[in-house]
Amino acid sequence: MTETIRILLVEDNKVDQMAFKRFVEREKLPYDYAIVGSVAEAEDILATERFDVLVIDYLLGDGTAFDLFGRAGEGPIVVITGNSRENIAVKAMKAGATDYLIKDQEGKYLTVLPVTVENAIHLRKTEIELRQHRQYLEELVEERTVELTRVNEQLVTEIAERKQAEEALLTSMETQNAILSTTNFLLAYMDREFNFIAVNQAYADAGRRRQEDFVGKNHFDFYPHAENEAIFRKVVETGEAKFILAKPFEHPDQPERGTTWWHWSLIPMKDDESGSVRTLIFSLMDVTGRIQAEKALQKAYDELEMRVEERTAELAKANEALQTRTHELTLLNESGRAFVSSLELDQVLATVLDQVARIIGIVTCSIWLVDPESGDLVCREAIPPRDDIVRGWRLGVGQGLVGWVLQHGEILNIADTRTDKRHFKGVDKQTGLELRSILSVPLRTKNGTFGVLQLLDEAENRFGANDERLAESLAALAAIAIENARLYRQTQQDAETKTLLLKEVNHRVKNNLIAITGMLYIEQRYAAKSPEQSTDTAILDKLACRIKGLSTVYQMLSDYNWIPMPLSVLARKLIDAALQVLPSDRQVSVDIVTDTAEVMSPEEAHHIAIVINELVTNVIKHVAIAKKTSQITVRITPDPLSKTVLLEFRDNGPGFPEAVLNSEDRKVGMYLIENTVRHSLRGEITFQNDNGAVVRIQFGVSLRQ
């Protein structure tokens, strides 16, 4: 499952906000985003929420993007600048921005937004990891330093204690017995021939004997050791004390103990008169546990150093890979911008190949696209050398390397074309180029594979894993650009076809309405000559007015190319057209009041036109003919709660008869108005008098502002 990325877009341009929303929805990007339009709003939301990345327009209404630097925590920042503000982008990068985008009027910069966001998040995560690892190493070194200091202080303390004990022994023989029995050191009192005179309990316990077992026995009978015996004899000969630290020793009668380590000293006791050595004081301290701990600590330290070196090497390698990837992403970003710089297919194809050749550095490359009619692969574009020969070349389905890639939808890396039977040798023969390495990458979108990007070089085994990854990324960007260019071309063709069809339909409908209106006027003049057909004349007159109103609607819809149109504009044009039948001595003032720009679909415009035309016709018949100056007021009010529009049509005439208000008398026109509102517009209508006739119509519209 794709991980959702939280994005905060800070953009004060509503159009760019909508473009961002549509792009995310269209591309189905895994973004959970929030959009604010100012520095103040951004500061408020950042105080309570956290985002994976901030995308900030440089110039905002109440400040700039730099005002938000430092408020995003450790989150990456992508700054959006205008086309002429590259210096601002450089300044933003120096100030701590992770990346930047250069805004264009067509919104094409959004196509590189996913790559930029992924790059920004990846860079920031790597920086955090490196900083945490560096902090971990510093803490580890600090702990090791504290431990070594403590051990050293303990060693100094123990040596000082040992010297104090030995000095106490030498100071007074009277305290000898007390010291021998109370000290924790191993002490032995020997004659100059190394025979035991006395040992303390600690010494006896260490040898696993009784104290009396040592008296009269020679030290080296119990513990034979040639090196130690030589040291003892030298002390007797020179009369100089000997101090030994951490001396290893193996007990011959206790092999299970293995190697032990001892601090020991041999102090000669001299005769006061002759000065010769008379006796010896032998003291020992078992430091085996400490030595083993130090060895274990040293081993752990060495292992830690080795792990640190390994981790450092891994991080260096990862950093190198990151720098390489960052460089690749930068190139892809530049290529993406270049790809979307044009919507002309030929220009897009040429740009794609130029960028691929520049970034990967190869002899030549080409783009093959599927011919929708024949299904063949056609070389639509290639770069020199010999591009004129390859361009336009056709290969059948499954033929050659490009045919295989199209058929299987997989990338194909051929190290040596001479050893691969799928390679189509015909191209080589025609171009005269000996191309050994070929990398073929499928061009595909969500609709499937529609072509192949092929990279070629004369060297064997030219393309590695990095080239494959980079080529696939370039192919993905190129596929989007090519698809956009093809869709743009198709859209242009469809728009031209639609325009021609609309013009033809409008022309025919308008001519038909004009012809019908003409025939009705002919019938009207004929009926006027006969008094018996006065009723028919009135009917024909009303029909002519209604058809003329429909003709006006069709003309307006045609002028708007049959796209949704504002309700206020529709009402104004219909009323003006209907009032053209008034005599020159009659004036009708029209006031349209609205605070909205509600728009209507062509179908809705057709229905409301019938209603407004009938209402204006009633004003002409019952108000304008009787008064030299009349008033029509139309008020348009949206209702957000019910998602409807209220249209109020008011005149300053005598008002509706009671029979009309009580629904007892409905003429054809009134019936047509009610039927159209309730059934065609699915709305509600009311009639009342208020200083004139008032009609209120409430209905929903399918398209909003």
Side-chain angles (χ1 to χ4, degrees):
M1 179 179 293
T2 303
E3 183 178 356
T4 300
I5 298 174
R6 293 212 72 207
I7 294 180
L8 175 61
L9 174 65
V10 186
E11 171 62 70
D12 58 352
N13 189 302
K14 298 296 184 181
V15 175
D16 290 338
Q17 290 181 3
M18 292 300 297
F20 174 86
K21 292 180 180 178
R22 289 195 297 270
F23 177 79
V24 172
E25 294 172 358
R26 184 179 69 245
E27 299 298 326
K28 297 181 179 178
L29 297 174
Y31 292 170
D32 176 17
Y33 59 84
I35 299 177
V36 297
S38 66
V39 172
E41 291 177 355
E43 290 176 342
D44 290 341
I45 195 172
L46 287 173
T48 58
E49 298 185 35
R50 290 293 178 265
F51 297 87
D52 296 324
V53 62
L54 271 65
V55 181
I56 311 174
D57 187 18
Y58 166 68
L59 189 59
L60 301 168
D62 58 345
T64 67
F66 294 150
D67 296 332
L68 294 175
F69 279 29
R71 299 183 181 271
E74 293 184 339
I77 297 176
V78 178
V79 176
I80 304 176
T81 66
N83 282 328
S84 60
R85 291 179 175 265
E86 289 81 2
N87 60 325
I88 298 299
V90 174
K91 182 178 178 181
M93 296 295 288
K94 291 182 178 179
T98 306
D99 206 342
Y100 68 92
L101 292 172
I102 297 179
K103 185 186 297 184
D104 56 285
Q105 295 181 352
E106 293 81 7
K108 300 175 183 176
Y109 71 97
L110 290 173
T111 59
V112 299
L113 178 63
V115 174
T116 304
V117 168
E118 177 187 356
N119 183 29
I121 294 175
H122 185 67
L123 282 175
R124 188 51 52 90
K125 285 184 178 178
T126 302
E127 291 174 359
I128 294 173
E129 181 183 354
L130 289 173
R131 183 166 63 254
Q132 292 175 344
H133 184 69
R134 188 181 300 111
Q135 182 179 358
Y136 166 73
L137 291 179
E138 291 174 352
E139 292 175 352
L140 195 61
V141 170
E142 183 177 352
E143 291 176 1
R144 173 60 178 159
T145 301
V146 171
E147 176 65 20
L148 291 176
T149 301
R150 186 188 63 78
V151 171
N152 184 61
E153 291 175 351
Q154 183 180 358
L155 179 61
V156 170
T157 301
E158 291 176 352
I159 292 175
E161 291 176 353
R162 181 169 170 273
K163 286 184 178 180
Q164 290 175 358
E166 293 172 350
E167 289 174 356
L169 284 173
L170 295 173
T171 301
S172 176
M173 291 297 294
E174 295 177 355
T175 60
Q176 181 182 29
N177 291 333
I179 295 175
L180 288 173
S181 61
T182 59
T183 183
N184 291 325
F185 289 98
L186 280 65
L187 296 175
Y189 187 43
M190 297 180 287
D191 61 22
R192 60 181 288 122
E193 299 300 329
F194 318 128
N195 296 313
F196 290 107
I197 298 173
V199 299
N200 68 349
Q201 188 61 49
Y203 193 99
D205 292 341
R208 299 179 182 178
R209 292 180 175 86
R210 296 175 301 168
Q211 288 178 275
E212 56 267 25
D213 292 339
F214 288 92
V215 178
K217 303 295 192 301
N218 191 276
H219 174 275
F220 293 105
D221 288 340
F222 285 115
Y223 308 111
H225 196 285
E227 181 183 355
N228 288 348
E229 186 174 356
I231 295 173
F232 277 42
R233 294 193 182 281
K234 187 174 181 180
V235 170
V236 172
E237 292 173 359
T238 62
E240 296 178 356
K242 185 68 174 179
F243 298 91
I244 301 295
L245 296 178
K247 180 73 172 178
F249 183 76
E250 295 181 0
H251 295 263
D253 58 339
Q254 302 174 35
E256 70 279 2
R257 295 179 65 177
T259 301
T260 56
W261 284 266
W262 302 83
H263 290 341
W264 59 266
S265 65
L266 189 62
I267 308 299
M269 305 298 293
K270 300 178 183 179
D271 187 272
D272 293 337
E273 297 180 357
S274 64
S276 61
V277 175
R278 183 168 53 85
T279 57
L280 299 166
I281 297 176
F282 184 39
S283 65
L284 304 96
M285 183 175 65
D286 188 355
V287 293
T288 301
R290 182 189 305 168
I291 296 301
Q292 290 176 342
E294 289 179 354
K295 287 182 176 293
L297 185 60
Q298 183 62 43
K299 181 179 179 182
Y301 180 79
D302 293 340
E303 291 177 352
L304 177 60
E305 287 290 337
M306 183 175 64
R307 287 199 296 269
V308 169
E309 292 178 0
E310 292 175 352
R311 183 56 178 163
T312 302
E314 291 175 359
L315 289 175
K317 185 177 180 181
N319 186 52
E320 182 181 355
L322 178 60
Q323 290 179 349
T324 301
R325 182 57 177 164
T326 301
H327 179 64
E328 291 177 356
L329 291 174
T330 301
L331 294 176
L332 290 174
N333 189 10
E334 294 175 355
S335 299
R337 296 175 183 176
F339 292 169
V340 300
S341 63
S342 174
L343 287 174
E344 295 297 332
L345 181 59
D346 293 338
Q347 181 62 40
V348 169
L349 297 177
T351 302
V352 168
L353 295 182
D354 288 342
Q355 290 292 323
V356 171
R358 179 181 68 85
I359 293 174
I360 301 183
I362 50 178
V363 172
T364 186
C365 54
S366 58
I367 291 179
W368 299 69
L369 300 180
V370 175
D371 184 344
E373 295 182 359
S374 65
D376 293 342
L377 267 173
V378 181
C379 181
R380 282 296 309 272
E381 190 59 67
I383 63 172
R386 312 308 299 272
D387 54 302
D388 54 330
I389 296 177
V390 179
R391 191 181 295 107
W393 197 287
R394 287 180 173 268
L395 293 176
V397 177
Q399 187 178 12
L401 299 178
V402 291
W404 188 93
V405 170
L406 179 69
Q407 191 175 40
H408 293 81
E410 300 175 4
I411 188 172
L412 182 61
N413 188 354
I414 302 300
D416 188 353
T417 56
R418 293 172 296 184
T419 62
D420 197 297
K421 296 181 180 180
R422 291 170 295 187
H423 177 51
F424 183 69
K425 304 298 191 299
V427 177
D428 292 355
K429 292 179 181 179
Q430 290 293 327
T431 60
L433 298 175
E434 295 184 0
L435 300 171
R436 294 288 177 257
S437 297
I438 298 180
L439 179 62
S440 304
V441 186
L443 295 172
R444 55 183 165 226
T445 61
K446 60 184 179 181
N447 297 322
T449 303
F450 64 86
V452 178
L453 171 64
Q454 193 168 71
L455 291 67
L456 308 96
D457 201 272
E458 295 174 337
E460 298 179 9
N461 200 22
R462 167 62 178 80
F463 303 109
N466 289 338
D467 296 317
E468 291 183 10
R469 184 180 67 250
L470 190 56
E472 283 189 299
S473 299
L474 288 169
L477 292 173
I480 295 174
I482 293 171
E483 185 71 7
N484 288 342
R486 296 171 77 174
L487 290 174
Y488 175 71
R489 175 180 290 182
Q490 184 63 45
T491 301
Q492 285 183 316
Q493 294 174 350
D494 293 345
E496 293 173 358
T497 302
K498 180 180 178 181
T499 300
L500 291 175
L501 290 174
L502 284 175
K503 287 183 178 179
E504 179 63 23
V505 170
N506 292 338
H507 178 70
R508 294 187 180 185
V509 170
K510 184 178 179 181
N511 287 345
N512 290 338
L513 289 175
I514 291 173
I516 294 172
T517 303
M519 287 187 289
L520 288 174
Y521 278 129
I522 292 173
E523 290 293 332
Q524 184 184 25
R525 288 194 297 270
Y526 174 76
K529 296 177 180 180
S530 174
E532 295 82 4
Q533 296 180 343
S534 59
T535 302
D536 295 338
T537 301
I539 294 174
L540 291 174
D541 185 42
K542 292 179 181 180
L543 288 176
C545 290
R546 288 170 181 144
I547 294 175
K548 186 176 181 181
L550 290 177
S551 177
T552 301
V553 173
Y554 274 101
Q555 182 60 47
M556 282 189 293
L557 293 176
S558 177
D559 293 340
Y560 271 81
N561 290 322
W562 292 85
I563 62 175
M565 62 188 305
L567 177 55
S568 58
V569 175
L570 175 65
R572 169 68 69 179
K573 289 184 175 291
L574 283 170
I575 294 172
D576 290 345
L579 293 177
Q580 291 179 3
V581 301
L582 282 174
S584 59
D585 61 340
R586 295 291 186 270
Q587 298 293 326
V588 177
S589 177
V590 179
D591 188 12
I592 297 180
V593 181
T594 180
D595 57 356
T596 182
E598 298 293 329
V599 295
M600 306 183 66
S601 68
E603 181 180 0
E604 292 167 337
H606 169 77
H607 297 314
I608 200 66
I610 294 175
V611 174
I612 294 176
N613 188 68
E614 288 295 327
L615 292 174
V616 176
T617 301
N618 286 338
V619 172
I620 295 172
K621 179 178 179 182
H622 300 290
V623 181
I625 297 300
K627 301 175 66 174
K628 289 187 176 182
T629 302
S630 305
Q631 174 70 38
I632 294 177
T633 302
V634 177
R635 185 179 300 276
I636 302 171
T637 307
D639 186 352
L641 294 179
S642 62
K643 298 181 180 180
T644 60
V645 173
L646 175 63
L647 186 147
E648 182 183 87
F649 189 96
R650 178 188 295 268
D651 63 42
N652 63 343
F656 293 113
E658 287 297 324
V660 172
L661 295 177
N662 296 330
S663 302
E664 298 173 356
D665 184 14
R666 285 285 192 267
K667 302 296 184 182
V668 174
M670 301 299 289
Y671 173 79
L672 180 61
I673 292 173
E674 283 190 291
N675 186 67
T676 302
V677 170
R678 290 197 168 94
H679 296 88
S680 300
L681 292 175
R682 294 182 175 84
E684 296 295 332
I685 184 170
T686 60
F687 301 92
Q688 66 182 73
N689 292 328
D690 182 9
N691 296 322
V694 180
V695 179
R696 288 189 174 89
I697 303 170
Q698 190 163 11
F699 61 98
V701 292
S702 59
L703 296 173
R704 290 296 176 187
Q705 295 181 4

